[in-house]
Every structure is written in structure tokens, then in C-alpha cells.
Amino acid sequence: MSYTQENISFQKPSKEILDLADYTRPPTVMMDSKRETMILVYRPTYKTLEELNQEDMKIAGLRIDPKTNISSTVSYVNNLKIKGLKDKKEKQVKNLPENPKLANFSFSPDEKYLAFTHTTEKGVELWTVKLTNAKATKITADNLNANLGRPYTWLGDSNSFLVKTLLENRPKLKSDKDDLPKGPTVSTGTGEISQNRTYQDLIKTPLDEENFETLATSELFKIDLKGNKTTFAPADMYMGQSLSPDGKYLMISKIEKPFSYIVPYHRFPQQTTVFDTDGKKIKVVNEIPLNEILPKGFSSVRKGKRNLSWRADKPSSLYFAEALDEGDQEKEAEYRDLISTWDAPFKENPKELFKTNLRFAGIEWGNEENAFLSEYWYDSRTIKTHWINPKTGETKLLSERNLQDIYNDPGDFQTIKNEFGKNVVQIENNKALLIGDGYTKDGQFPFVDELDLNNFKTNRLYTIETTEKKEDIIDILDFKKGDILIMSQSPVEYPNFYIRNINSNKSKAVTHFENPFKGLENIQKEVISYEREDGVNLSGTLYLPANYDKKEKLPLLIWAYPTEYKDKATAGMSSKNKNAFTYPNYGSFVYWVTKGYAVLDDAAFPIIGENDEEPNDTFVEQLIANAKAAIDVVDKMGYIDRKKVGVGGHSYGAFMTANLLTHSDLFAVGIARSGAYNRTLTPFGFQREQRNYWDAPDIYNRMSPFMNADKMKTPMLLVHGEQDNNMGTFTMQTERYFEALKNLGAPVRMVLLPKESHGYQAKENILHLLWEQDQFLEKNLKN
């Protein structure tokens, strides 16, 4: 493949953008369940290209660093501090490893310790920090196996772990150079119909199979806080471990053969066994065969036990769902799933708990007389929540709504740790509390509701009614005293935690994180609402330069991402809040407000398919209607030159951008990043499209910018990570689309960012990306 190449080194954007992009990231916060202790978690703002340049193995849907035996995509933490919720100052954690690369955090059951892993040059170690003295201690050598996720599980005594370690004499990983193939690679179809997406990084050869087995195989050991260890189980491909609430049993899953060349590792055969904590086998509780065959549809599932987990409200009881319709949403069935419970030591058969009319979507346990079960159906977007008495079998439908109906979301239950140290719905005097986001057509007003389980009526106890800031209820600390934990922010005030007393309405700051983006403090920001030509309500966040006075018509940049809906009402609902903190990042155009552009960020681009219609039946028409409405409203406000409008998006937003430039003349430029442009390369569905190519070839072809490349004559910047790992958005999608556009005479530029996957991480690449976008916009739009 030959391109008109430019030999270019990494560049940095102009000062206005660089001052915002080259910042120190404030910490994120973890809290214990009692909301007494905060862990301040510090990460580097970006990775470096050197970090991304480490050799990794792309296998079975994973990307693994074979030197250290942990995912090569981990975003590491490099510092920890501890702060009591009512303390004035935080404490630096002492004795952290040199050059910390921390991950896999987990509180001990008694929440006196925080465990985490540290990745050295050779491997993964287990560490803990005691929260009372903020002192870190190394527990193991760097020989843990984190290739399939967290390599340790706390045991119930809060003094020991079950850890996965590498084999002492692990076989050497092989490369293509080590062995000549012993034969061809052969796959067969059995004649069964299935719907599998286009997964990346799969096993491709028998050599890959050998390497995956080597990488996945661990030994299991018990180890205490002093480093004393004993063997728990011999080597196998252990996948996940889960401790029963009473700490007496361990449920352990392992991968079995045969492996697959068409699906990732989590769909390989699995066996799940319950052991006691001495390693004695109690019962094989689940056997899952290779899962290559799935019926079509987002409400279809595999056969057999699913969602096998411990009940949080009982000492050692499992629950699971099992399809009654063979997992096929197309089959007529009164009941879709059977939910059962199964008490250890599993000598009796499972007991039926509930049959769902829709697909099981989860359960929150309260106590032995109260649980809350949800069921869901994708095609209608219906979600139902039921109250269940697990003892008597009594049930009550609590709510039924469209999942995307955010204005009628009843909220989430307040939880508390029970006697087993597990999170359960807090129930006092047979009443439960719900915390809601409080989105309405008039703005956001978070709330606390009380659900009376005697008559199932709700009572509004508290509402945040401020319109000056964005405030969210994080937790209820002590409702009798009136203390709640909130997060408060404004466009120029970084999100911080406060303790508020709802009786006095006084708030006390818990954290004091500073705004790292001072360059945006004086810009103008508002959430605008407007209508599409068919009456659908739309919204977006509009940014204007500081001191802008309407005398000059500005170029406009629109950043968006399409979302599918089943009705116009829910499509028109907005969760935008004008008081949200303005946080620029490479995934938006907000930087350019400092360069004299108007920016409409997160513009609503709903794609609606009502009744029997599918949203994508009119995808292109609805894209254009959304874009026209956005441009019209900002133009009517008198801010812009509508001949100077650009559009951009990432992933499905890139797909949107290419279609808008292909099928409309609304835009002067487009920036499309990490998209998929040829839908015949994703023939078994994409995004939320359930039909395959052969069901709807005209839809696939019309929606494919590649198939319509001859119509695209607008300047476009195509960007893609060189090693994209996302399902369907192969880097080849951009390469082939660029080749088509170039040969058809379109003004197009392609930038492949070295070592990057679907989301970009290296500082060198992100700053260069901002430079590319800046140069492109200055040349093709502003001037």
C-alpha cells in the first residue's frame, strides 16, 4: 500500500491548548463502606510512548505483558494518600515501592487494610497498607499471575489471601521462529447459526494455544500478612475466585479446553468448583461448554447457569439464572429465566426463587425477607424491578419503565455492610432508602426517597434544589442526624466532597482539589435546548470564548456520539447540567474555545426506531436532521458563520462524522478518530445493530462511508491508533477508507498514532493529536 507520506516528528499544539493539555491530574477517591476513610489515588496524567512500546502478546482477546504477567493495558497508580472523612489533612502512605506501578485495589473484609499489586520489571507483587498507620508492606515476591485479572482474593479472616502464582518451572513462551508449523490451521462450521461480533486479538494457531495455556496457568496458594504460605490447589488455568460471605467456602472457576479461534477466552469452556478454605473439594457447581454459538439479539444468552454468585444476605448460598427459552429471544416463551438459590454444601437440589418474563438483569439482597430483582428486554428497553421475599416467595412489582427514561429513574438503594461484611440494601423499620440523580425537564435535582416495604409507597425525604452548582448525593452517612455525603462542582470549581447536614443545610468540605484548568475560567458556557425538525428535543453544551461579544461570527465545532432509542420521548431527555465542571480532554473540542471557536460539545444525536422500526433504518437521515438542528440553533443565536462549521467524533462518533460529510453539505471539515467505515467488515452486527449483513444488506451498505467514498469531497482528518483493540474498529478500517478517499480525489489526511489502541494514552501521541487537529482546523476551517 503506498501513501503520500510525510516524515514528521512529534509536535506539540499551540500554547493555549498546551497549557490546558499539559496538566497534573488531581487524585481520584476510593472510600470504605462506612465512609470513614478515603484513599486518594494518584495517576500520571498520561502514559509515555516508552511504556506503550513494551512487547505484549495479543491472544484470546487479551493483551498481556509476557515479562510481567499482567495486562499491558493497565493504567497504573503511582501514589496513595489516606484521609479520614473528618480529618483536616491526608497522610502520605509510607514505604511504597520505588517507582510505584500499583493496581488491583481491594479492602480487607474488616476494612483495616487495603491490598494492591505492584508491577516490577520482572513481575507482579502483592502489597498491603494498614489504614491506621498508612504504612505499606510487601507480602509476596513478584511471581503472581495477573494475566486473567486480579491475582489475589482476601480470605474471611482479613489476615490472609488466596493468590495465583506462576509455575516455578513454567514452559518458555514460543514464537513463530521457534517451531515450523506441523500443519495448516483449520476451523469448521457445524451448520448451527450464530451471531458473533468481529473480536480482536484472538488465538490464531496451535502455537497461540500453547502460549495461552502457559500464560493462563497458575498455582493457588494461601498466604498470610507475614508472608507464610501453604499450597491450596495444583496448577490449572484458574480464572476467578469468590469467597462465601461467611468465609467458609471458595468458589473457583477454571478454563478448560478446547480453545476457540473465533471468540475470546471468557467464552472458552469453564468449570466452577466450591472448596472449603483448606482446599477440600465440596462440589462442582457449574460446567460451561465452549460458547461459540449464540442466538441473534441483545436479549439472547447462552444455555446453562449464568450469573452464578454468592447471596450477600446468607452465610453460604449461591444464586444463578438459567434460560427457559434456550437463551433465544426469538422463541415464544411465557418465562425467559429461572432464578434459583442453592445452599452449601449443595447436597440438596437448588430451590426456585423467581421466574422472569424478561431477561434476568441482577438482584440486590437486603435480608432474608427482602430482595430486589431486575429483569430487562433490549428491544423494548423495558426494565422491571420486583420486591421478593425469598422466604415466602411473595413478590411485588415496584417499577416498570424504559431503561433510557432518566426522568422517571427511581434511584439506587442505599447499601450497608451486613454481619458478613457484604453490601446489602439497608433496611430499617421495614423501610429502604433510594438515592436518585434527579434529572427532570427543568434541570437536575438529586433526591432521597424512602420506600415503605409495608405498603410499597415512596416518600420524598430530601431534594437538592440548588441551580447554582451541580451537586450529587454520594451516600447517606447518618440520616437520623441528617448527614449526607455530596459531591459539589461548578464550571470553574473542581468536583469536591462535602458533608452536608440536611437539617441545617450547612456543608463542610472534605476534599480541596484545585482546578487544574485555569485557562478556561472566563469562558462562557451554557446548556442549550432545541428541537429537531420532527419535534424531538435535543441539547448540547455550548462554549464561547472569554469576553466574546457577538461582534464577530465564529467558526463552530460540534463533537457528538450517536445513541439509539426506541421512542422520541426518551430520546429527548437530557442529563446535561450547565454547572458541571469544564474538564477538557483529548476526547472533545473544548480546547478550541481558547482559540476563538464556538464549541457545541456532547451534542445530542439520537437515532430513533419506534414500534417495529429499527433505529438504523433511517440512520443517515436522522444524523443529518440532528446536525442541521444543532447548526440552526447556534446560528439563530447569532454566534457563528454557518459556512465554517466542523464536526468530529471518536469511534462511533467517527462513523457519524464520515457519514455526515458524505451525505450532507452542512460541514466544512470533519475529524474522525478510530472509527469503522466499512460495515461489511462487521457483518454480524455493530454498535446496537442486531441484524446481520444478510438480514439488511441495503442498510449496511448505505451506512458504510466506504461504500459511498466517491461522494465525500470535504476535507477530513482521519486518526487511528496503530494497534486498535476494540471490537470491529480494526486499524485497517481507516487505512482502507483513506486509500479509497485519496484515490477518488478527496482532500484527506491520515494520522496513525504509534502503539496506541482504541483509546489514546501516550503523552507524545496526545499532544501530537492536538497539534494535528489544530493545524487542520486553522487551515481548513478558521482561515
Side-chain angles (χ1 to χ4, degrees):
M1 188 182 298
S2 72
Y3 303 139
T4 304
Q5 300 286 5
E6 285 187 29
N7 293 321
I8 189 169
S9 59
F10 286 114
Q11 301 293 311
K12 293 181 180 179
S14 55
K15 185 178 186 302
E16 298 93 331
I17 295 174
L18 184 61
D19 286 347
L20 294 171
D22 194 6
Y23 72 101
T24 300
R25 178 188 291 188
T28 54
V29 173
M30 292 191 300
M31 280 189 252
D32 63 351
S33 66
K34 296 178 182 177
R35 306 305 194 202
E36 294 175 349
T37 305
M38 285 183 157
I39 313 296
L40 305 184
V41 179
Y42 294 81
R43 286 182 170 84
T45 305
Y46 305 111
K47 287 188 175 183
T48 66
L49 197 58
E50 184 179 3
E51 289 177 270
L52 296 191
N53 197 37
Q54 302 301 311
E55 283 285 330
D56 63 4
M57 296 193 71
K58 301 173 178 64
I59 193 166
L62 296 166
R63 291 193 172 182
I64 291 170
D65 183 337
K67 293 181 181 177
T68 56
N69 291 285
I70 191 170
S71 170
S72 59
T73 64
V74 172
S75 176
Y76 287 113
V77 167
N78 63 0
N79 194 18
L80 297 173
K81 294 181 182 180
I82 297 175
K83 184 181 185 300
L85 205 63
K86 297 182 180 180
D87 294 343
K88 290 185 178 179
K89 292 185 178 181
E90 64 268 15
K91 293 183 287 189
Q92 171 63 50
V93 173
K94 303 180 291 288
N95 200 40
L96 286 173
E98 192 174 347
N99 301 316
K101 296 175 74 173
L102 315 181
N104 296 303
F105 296 91
S106 176
F107 286 105
S108 60
D110 63 10
E111 297 191 322
K112 293 181 179 179
Y113 291 89
L114 178 73
F116 54 88
T117 61
H118 165 58
T119 303
T120 71
E121 291 183 359
K122 297 179 182 177
V124 178
E125 302 169 335
L126 177 62
W127 287 64
T128 62
V129 56
K130 192 172 184 179
L131 300 184
T132 53
N133 64 13
K135 184 178 180 181
T137 304
K138 186 172 83 166
I139 306 298
T140 73
D142 51 1
N143 66 339
L144 300 189
N145 188 343
N147 289 328
L148 297 181
R150 182 184 294 171
Y152 71 89
T153 300
W154 277 103
L155 297 182
D157 60 5
S158 294
N159 189 55
S160 54
F161 306 88
L162 185 71
V163 297
K164 295 192 291 186
T165 68
L166 302 171
L167 276 63
E168 283 193 20
N169 298 308
R170 191 174 82 166
K172 181 182 176 183
L173 295 170
K174 297 180 179 179
S175 72
D176 294 333
K177 298 175 183 177
D178 294 330
D179 269 330
L180 285 174
K182 297 178 177 64
T185 298
V186 177
S187 300
T188 59
T190 63
E192 295 178 87
I193 296 173
S194 185
Q195 183 105 333
N196 287 317
R197 293 294 180 97
T198 48
Y199 296 107
Q200 305 249 38
D201 302 336
L202 298 177
I203 288 175
K204 298 181 177 67
T205 66
L207 187 67
D208 284 347
E209 292 192 61
E210 289 184 50
N211 282 337
F212 176 74
E213 184 171 5
T214 297
L215 292 165
T217 299
S218 306
E219 293 180 283
L220 291 181
F221 287 92
K222 286 172 64 176
I223 189 165
D224 64 22
L225 292 176
K226 295 179 180 178
N228 302 309
K229 72 176 186 177
T230 56
T231 300
F232 184 87
D236 218 321
M237 291 182 284
Y238 297 111
M239 187 174 172
Q241 305 85 43
S242 175
L243 183 71
S244 64
D246 62 4
K248 292 183 178 179
Y249 299 97
L250 277 157
M251 181 168 62
I252 299 174
S253 297
K254 64 179 183 179
I255 294 171
E256 298 190 316
K257 295 179 179 179
F259 302 146
S260 172
Y261 288 27
I262 64 172
V263 294
Y265 77 98
H266 55 80
R267 288 174 62 176
F268 293 177
Q270 296 174 36
Q271 183 188 83
T272 302
T273 305
V274 172
F275 299 83
D276 67 18
T277 51
D278 292 325
K280 179 184 175 183
K281 179 179 175 180
I282 303 299
K283 180 78 172 179
V284 174
V285 292
N286 204 10
E287 297 265 13
I288 303 173
L290 177 62
N291 180 21
E292 289 185 337
I293 308 298
L294 265 184
K296 187 190 301 181
F298 293 135
S299 295
S300 291
V301 294
R302 63 170 175 79
K303 298 176 185 178
K305 298 186 187 78
R306 314 184 324 272
N307 304 98
L308 184 66
S309 303
W310 296 106
R311 283 181 59 166
D313 64 328
K314 295 193 73 176
S316 48
S317 180
L318 293 171
Y319 72 96
F320 58 89
E322 199 161 12
L324 298 173
D325 57 3
E326 297 187 315
D328 188 349
Q329 71 173 51
E330 295 300 318
K331 291 194 173 183
E332 294 290 330
E334 181 181 2
Y335 297 109
R336 295 291 178 178
D337 281 334
L338 170 64
I339 317 304
S340 302
T341 63
W342 201 6
D343 295 336
F346 315 108
K347 292 181 179 178
E348 298 180 1
N349 291 329
K351 296 177 182 177
E352 178 178 321
L353 177 67
F354 191 83
K355 287 181 179 177
T356 64
N357 299 117
L358 310 178
R359 195 64 73 198
F360 176 65
I363 190 165
E364 291 186 85
W365 302 97
N367 52 39
E368 291 193 18
E369 295 182 347
N370 294 280
F372 304 89
L373 181 145
S374 297
E375 54 178 324
Y376 167 70
W377 200 251
Y378 175 77
D379 285 13
S380 62
R381 309 298 197 273
T382 301
I383 186 165
K384 297 181 182 181
T385 300
H386 305 264
W387 167 83
I388 299 175
N389 184 328
K391 269 191 170 181
T392 65
E394 294 175 88
T395 69
K396 172 73 175 179
L397 178 64
L398 295 179
S399 66
E400 179 176 357
R401 65 185 177 92
N402 184 312
L403 181 65
Q404 294 173 304
D405 179 358
I406 59 174
Y407 293 172
N408 290 293
D409 187 340
D412 298 317
F413 284 106
Q414 167 77 359
T415 61
I416 192 172
K417 276 205 170 183
N418 63 10
E419 66 269 32
F420 304 121
K422 299 297 180 183
N423 286 326
V424 294
V425 176
Q426 183 176 356
I427 298 171
E428 293 183 7
N429 301 320
N430 216 32
K431 295 177 181 178
L433 298 176
L434 289 150
I435 299 173
D437 291 327
Y439 294 115
T440 74
K441 62 182 177 59
D442 300 314
Q444 184 183 2
F445 306 99
F447 61 83
V448 177
D449 275 355
E450 180 182 70
L451 173 63
D452 190 331
L453 297 172
N454 297 301
N455 56 23
F456 302 104
K457 293 182 179 179
T458 57
N459 178 35
R460 183 66 43 95
L461 300 179
Y462 177 70
T463 305
I464 292 180
E465 296 181 342
T466 179
T467 57
E468 301 302 314
K469 294 187 177 183
K470 174 176 166 56
E471 295 186 338
D472 297 282
I473 302 171
I474 305 302
D475 202 1
I476 299 168
L477 301 177
D478 187 332
F479 208 76
K480 291 178 181 177
K481 292 182 179 179
D483 288 341
I484 63 174
L485 184 68
I486 68 166
M487 179 179 282
S488 181
Q489 60 189 292
S490 78
V492 296
E493 294 175 4
Y494 194 84
N496 275 288
F497 292 93
Y498 293 79
I499 295 175
R500 171 170 297 166
N501 185 275
I502 64 175
N503 300 317
S504 67
N505 210 33
K506 291 182 178 179
S507 300
K508 181 181 178 182
V510 178
T511 59
H512 301 86
F513 304 136
E514 292 290 326
N515 177 1
F517 307 112
K518 300 292 186 182
L520 295 177
E521 284 190 335
N522 296 317
I523 66 169
Q524 302 174 48
K525 174 183 181 180
E526 64 176 310
V527 172
I528 60 172
S529 299
Y530 49 100
E531 275 193 7
R532 204 165 75 175
E533 60 188 5
D534 59 356
V536 176
N537 293 318
L538 304 175
S539 62
T541 304
L542 181 65
Y543 298 89
L544 298 171
N547 304 316
Y548 175 65
D549 59 6
K550 271 195 180 182
K551 291 180 181 178
E552 177 189 1
K553 298 292 186 181
L554 304 176
L556 172 67
L557 297 176
I558 297 175
W559 188 267
Y561 190 94
T563 303
E564 294 88 343
Y565 295 88
K566 280 305 291 180
D567 61 72
K568 293 179 179 179
T570 53
M573 294 179 179
S574 174
S575 62
K576 298 177 181 65
N577 189 319
K578 67 179 181 180
N579 297 314
F581 179 69
T582 302
Y583 202 130
N585 61 68
Y586 82 91
S588 78
F589 280 144
V590 174
Y591 293 110
W592 276 268
V593 74
T594 65
K595 299 288 299 276
Y597 294 78
V599 175
L600 186 62
D601 193 42
D602 192 23
F605 266 68
I607 308 297
I608 305 162
E610 294 190 300
N611 301 317
D612 294 332
E613 291 183 356
E614 289 292 329
N616 286 338
D617 291 350
T618 52
F619 178 81
V620 171
E621 291 81 1
Q622 292 192 65
L623 280 187
I624 295 170
N626 292 325
K628 184 176 183 301
I631 296 169
D632 285 348
V633 68
V634 186
D635 184 31
K636 189 175 181 181
M637 296 168 85
Y639 298 146
I640 64 165
D641 178 350
R642 67 180 301 139
K643 294 180 180 179
K644 291 186 176 182
V645 182
V647 64
H650 190 95
S651 193
Y652 208 55
F655 176 65
M656 169 203 75
T657 298
N659 268 302
L660 284 170
L661 267 58
T662 300
H663 297 289
S664 80
D665 57 2
L666 294 169
F667 297 98
V669 297
I671 297 176
R673 301 197 323 232
S674 296
Y677 308 104
N678 182 351
R679 286 302 170 197
T680 69
L681 298 178
T682 55
F684 287 98
F686 55 90
Q687 199 70 5
R688 308 311 294 169
E689 175 57 65
Q690 300 181 85
R691 297 167 294 187
N692 65 42
Y693 175 79
W694 296 272
D695 291 331
D698 292 341
I699 300 295
Y700 272 68
N701 287 328
R702 179 143 198 263
M703 289 179 69
S704 294
F706 180 86
M707 302 301 188
N708 299 278
D710 58 322
K711 300 174 185 174
M712 212 298 290
K713 302 301 180 187
T714 305
M716 184 175 342
L717 176 63
L718 289 169
V719 183
H720 217 113
E722 182 187 52
Q723 298 181 16
D724 196 325
N725 62 340
N726 189 52
M727 187 168 55
T729 56
F730 300 95
T731 306
M732 178 182 68
Q733 288 269 10
T734 287
E735 292 174 323
R736 295 290 186 268
Y737 187 40
F738 170 78
E739 186 76 5
L741 292 173
K742 179 174 74 74
N743 288 334
L744 290 166
V748 61
R749 178 179 177 89
M750 180 178 70
V751 178
L752 300 181
L753 298 174
K755 309 299 180 181
E756 295 287 1
S757 53
H758 192 62
Y760 313 147
Q761 301 180 80
K763 183 176 183 178
E764 298 92 330
N765 280 325
I766 290 172
L767 295 184
H768 184 83
L769 166 71
L770 296 174
W771 177 82
E772 287 280 359
Q773 293 182 164
D774 197 28
Q775 298 293 308
F776 177 79
L777 293 171
E778 291 289 306
K779 175 184 176 182
N780 294 292
L781 183 65
K782 195 172 186 180
N783 299 316

